[in-house]
Amino acid sequence: MEKSYIIKQISIFSENRPGRLAAVAGALKEAGINIFAFSIAEADGFGVVRALVDRPEDAHRRLTDLGFRVSFTDVIGVKMRDEPGGLSEIAGVLGDAAINIEYAYAYSGRDAAVLILRVDQVEDAIRKILGSGGELLKASTFH
Amino acid sequence: MRGHLTTRDVQSDMFWNTAMETISAADLEALQIKRLKWTLHQTQNVALYRSKLKEAGVAPGDIKTLEDAAKLPFTTKKELQAGYPFGLLAVPLRQIVRIHTTSGTTGKPTVVGYTRGDLESWSELIARNLVMVGLSDEDVFQNAVNYGLFTGGLGFHYGAEKVGMTVVPSATGNTQRQIEMIEDFGVTAIHCTPSYAMHLAEVAESTGAELATLKTGIFGAEPWSESMRSELEGRLGVTAFDSYGLSEMYGPGVAFECPERDGLHIWHDSYLVEIIDPATGEVLGPGERGELVITPLVKEAMPLLRYRTGDITMLMEEDCPCGRGRKIARITGRSDDMLVIRGINVFPSQIEHVLLGLPEVGEQFMVYIDRVKHLDEMTIEVEMSRAGFSGELQDLARIQKHVAGALHNALGLRTTVKLVEPGSLPRFEGKARRIVDRRGAL
């Protein structure tokens, strides 16, 4: 049952130079793939573009054909209460359970702000968040 | 002078000339000194060497030990080219029974003359090589290289005949016909360039030819990698051996892999080997990579002193289980390609070698050299490979560190490694231009 909350994020290796994000976004646009959320993580001269899309398999195939290095990453989406303490609550639950957040990014969903989390123990995290009364987005919300 | 090279012993399998191939270190040294003195004497028939020795302040009589060889001046390819056509010959033309030439891609070709004794010595060395890899008079040998002025054709031809092999002088071209010959004649061993072998494999596969009798492949005249070896072995069904030679030293047959296929045996009774730092000329010890310098010890028509081959290798430290003498490593590049970074010699082939061993990156690369605050900085761009990407940034950083660490181990130099997207680095046909040295441009 935890599995239904695991969302497939696509991660794309990209050099940190002008035009690379445009190339990724352009390819997805041409394939009619919708991007719900994305973030860019940057290191020394290169980065990883992370995106939640409606058709991850298609996006993976499309970008791979274009020569990009793409992989899937399991993430979860937490619905945030749009009021002070929303983040603190979620972070506290995970921290107490010794679950590490590797990275996070947020986007504004249809009815609430959504925090996308990459954690080291994804199924534990789902149990803890649901157990503490938190609300998670089902993978089927996206794809 | 000759004699000792030409007689075949009654011997065990895999040795053509057991006495010479397994000579003791003390006997070899005595033989090398004797032959070095003879070679020096022979060079005095050539004006170039008379003036070179004079200039170096060395008389032939000054050379009494092998260490004394380091006092002798180097000979370069340029000097041989300047002597075109017959300026380097130490014997009158009537004693020359054949000439070959180098390809002449870098200017005038070099003419190499052979006396009857030279041809005999050359065949002897080829015979040792062929028997060393397990071939005998039972084998059918297809010699699929150029038979003209190029030394590979006739050189192997006479060596194989000497062993008593059934020689098919197929030369080059008409691959379909080459494949028919292999199948119809039951060819067991083939000699060709590695790139032609690859082509042969492709054509054979496309026509469904099985080449079932073929078991030995001898590949030379071009550098080729270990990955090419496994590909050729898989596709042709052969055991592949590396053959090294150069026209100036007769041609092929100078050094050759034994069945261990871990380095090449160079025939120390016929070639005095030194490895030098190409930048300083300093002689390097076993295990240190540098330029191969050879003084041939039995060449009559065209003796040479400390000839700079331009090929990069090293003397290997371990003895070979086969019982023959000290090996050299496979050639990993040309001294002309060498870079000096913060005083350390770096060959692009070393970088290539490191990258080939790392599955998380591709084998294409570019090297940029800059001078930052009076220090040389080397930046290497490598492509991510398909296998290497997990999707996590920290894994990328780990790969970057891992590549830099492996390069540090191999080069003794800290470098900056940049991961780039697959397919984004330039591909080169023919001579690669992977090095961009920006130190000169201020």
Side-chain angles (χ1 to χ4, degrees):
Chain A
M1 105 108 180
E2 285 87 12
K3 291 245 188 296
S4 64
Y5 295 101
I6 298 177
I7 303 163
K8 243 182 204 179
Q9 168 194 278
I10 57 167
S11 305
I12 306 135
F13 174 76
S14 171
E15 280 167 60
N16 193 359
R17 60 184 163 87
R20 297 320 290 154
L21 180 60
V24 172
L28 296 180
K29 176 184 156 194
E30 267 174 41
I33 293 167
N34 189 27
I35 305 173
F36 296 112
F38 81 90
S39 86
I40 299 172
E42 196 268 340
D44 185 15
F46 56 82
V48 177
V49 176
R50 299 161 178 153
L52 291 191
V53 298
D54 55 353
R55 284 152 42 217
E57 304 285 349
D58 286 350
H60 190 293
R61 194 173 320 114
R62 181 89 184 178
L63 290 166
T64 302
D65 287 348
L66 287 172
F68 284 99
R69 284 293 167 265
V70 189
S71 70
F72 291 126
T73 311
D74 291 342
V75 295
I76 51 175
V78 190
K79 257 193 193 175
M80 304 279 289
R81 279 184 296 114
D82 197 2
E83 58 185 55
L87 176 60
S88 157
E89 206 174 289
I90 296 296
V93 167
L94 296 177
D96 290 347
I99 294 167
N100 189 41
I101 300 175
E102 288 171 3
Y103 56 80
Y105 52 102
Y107 84 101
S108 155
R110 279 188 200 89
D111 43 356
V114 176
L115 183 67
I116 309 296
L117 290 177
R118 164 71 173 162
V119 293
D120 57 355
Q121 305 153 62
V122 65
E123 295 193 14
D124 277 358
I126 291 168
R127 267 192 300 273
K128 295 288 175 196
I129 292 169
L130 293 176
S132 71
E135 213 182 322
L136 289 171
L137 292 178
K138 292 225 176 210
S140 55
T141 321
F142 299 94
H143 30 265
Chain B
M1 192 57 215
R2 295 272 71 77
H4 34 53
L5 271 185
T6 61
T7 42
R8 182 178 187 183
D9 318 355
V10 183
Q11 32 67 353
S12 52
D13 282 348
M14 316 281 273
F15 286 91
W16 175 256
N17 184 341
T18 314
M20 207 49 93
E21 291 178 48
T22 60
I23 190 169
S24 73
D27 288 352
L28 176 64
E29 186 172 343
L31 183 66
Q32 285 183 321
I33 292 167
K34 186 173 127 205
R35 289 181 173 179
L36 176 61
K37 287 177 180 169
W38 174 84
T39 296
L40 264 169
H41 172 76
Q42 189 76 346
T43 60
Q44 294 310 291
N45 298 329
V46 182
L48 173 73
Y49 295 110
R50 283 195 303 270
S51 68
K52 280 174 76 77
L53 283 194
K54 197 180 233 175
E55 208 174 295
V58 187
D62 296 344
I63 306 302
K64 297 189 175 71
T65 68
L66 289 180
E67 287 68 46
D68 289 340
K71 297 177 189 164
L72 296 169
F74 294 114
T75 306
T76 63
K77 181 158 195 73
K78 267 211 177 77
E79 289 171 318
L80 302 192
Q81 285 169 335
Y84 182 87
F86 296 141
L88 274 297
L89 297 182
V91 299
L93 214 49
R94 65 167 189 283
Q95 288 180 30
I96 302 283
V97 295
R98 192 196 300 166
I99 60 170
H100 282 286
T101 71
T102 62
S103 56
T105 43
T106 52
K108 276 274 189 205
T110 302
V111 176
V112 186
Y114 301 76
T115 63
R116 208 171 287 286
D118 283 328
L119 292 182
E120 189 53 47
S121 299
W122 187 16
S123 303
E124 150 83 18
L125 296 182
I126 298 274
R128 286 186 199 171
N129 295 324
L130 295 173
V131 172
M132 176 167 70
V133 300
L135 300 173
S136 71
D137 53 11
E138 303 286 335
D139 285 286
V140 182
F141 177 71
Q142 186 151 323
N143 196 24
V145 292
N146 182 299
Y147 260 72
L149 288 160
F150 173 63
T151 50
L154 291 176
F156 264 94
H157 182 98
Y158 286 106
E161 278 191 356
K162 196 178 192 63
V163 173
M165 299 169 84
T166 307
V167 182
V168 182
S170 65
T172 53
N174 200 345
T175 307
Q176 197 49 56
R177 181 84 191 98
Q178 298 265 4
I179 289 167
E180 276 171 36
M181 285 189 267
I182 294 171
E183 302 234 293
D184 296 349
F185 302 151
V187 169
T188 57
I190 190 165
H191 169 231
C192 60
T193 62
S195 50
Y196 188 69
M198 204 63 101
H199 178 63
L200 200 72
E202 273 161 21
V203 176
E205 280 159 17
S206 71
T207 59
E210 286 184 8
L211 311 178
T213 53
L214 211 52
K215 64 180 169 68
T216 303
I218 294 165
F219 306 121
E222 289 166 2
W224 52 293
S225 65
E226 287 300 320
S227 60
M228 197 151 175
R229 187 199 306 266
S230 40
E231 192 169 351
L232 284 173
E233 293 192 333
R235 294 174 73 175
L236 288 172
V238 297
T239 304
F241 296 94
D242 192 8
S243 158
Y244 172 75
L246 59 164
S247 305
E248 294 86 340
M249 301 292 157
Y250 290 148
V254 175
F256 219 83
E257 282 180 332
C258 70
E260 297 292 323
R261 295 185 301 152
D262 176 24
L264 289 81
H265 287 285
I266 188 158
W267 301 111
H268 297 283
D269 62 307
S270 302
Y271 300 106
L272 183 65
V273 176
E274 296 168 280
I275 306 292
I276 64 159
D277 180 326
T280 63
E282 177 202 352
V283 177
L284 303 175
E288 293 183 282
R289 204 170 280 277
E291 181 178 348
L292 176 65
V293 169
I294 304 178
T295 304
L297 298 174
V298 297
K299 281 192 83 196
E300 296 178 339
M302 204 179 101
L304 293 156
L305 289 182
R306 303 187 86 199
Y307 182 67
R308 293 189 61 157
T309 65
D311 291 317
I312 298 301
T313 179
M314 63 178 173
L315 279 166
M316 294 177 69
E317 291 168 286
E318 301 82 26
D319 291 333
C320 186
C322 84
R324 294 178 183 84
R326 196 184 276 282
K327 289 184 287 195
I328 56 170
R330 297 189 72 192
I331 305 298
T332 52
R334 298 279 307 162
S335 58
D336 334 21
D337 297 334
M338 187 183 79
L339 301 160
V340 183
I341 312 287
R342 273 176 260 158
I344 296 173
N345 297 346
V346 175
F347 301 101
S349 56
Q350 289 175 286
I351 299 169
E352 191 171 1
H353 190 75
V354 169
L355 299 181
L356 276 172
L358 300 173
E360 52 277 51
V361 294
E363 52 195 79
Q364 301 290 334
F365 65 92
M366 283 295 290
V367 177
Y368 298 91
I369 304 152
D370 295 285
R371 186 156 286 158
V372 181
K373 291 179 189 153
H374 308 293
L375 270 183
D376 298 333
E377 296 292 343
M378 184 154 75
T379 305
I380 298 168
E381 289 184 347
V382 287
E383 293 180 354
M384 286 293 301
S385 75
R386 204 170 292 278
F389 183 53
S390 68
E392 301 298 344
L393 195 65
Q394 74 243 37
D395 288 340
L396 292 174
R398 203 172 298 137
I399 290 170
Q400 196 177 25
K401 243 177 123 172
H402 182 55
V403 175
L407 285 167
H408 192 181
N409 277 342
L411 310 178
L413 203 64
R414 241 186 311 280
T415 58
T416 303
V417 171
K418 279 202 166 147
L419 296 177
V420 301
E421 287 168 30
S424 65
L425 293 178
R427 265 62 176 164
F428 298 97
E429 286 187 19
K431 203 167 162 54
R433 302 174 60 84
R434 302 185 195 284
I435 313 294
V436 181
D437 193 338
R438 298 185 285 217
R439 285 175 294 184
L442 289 173

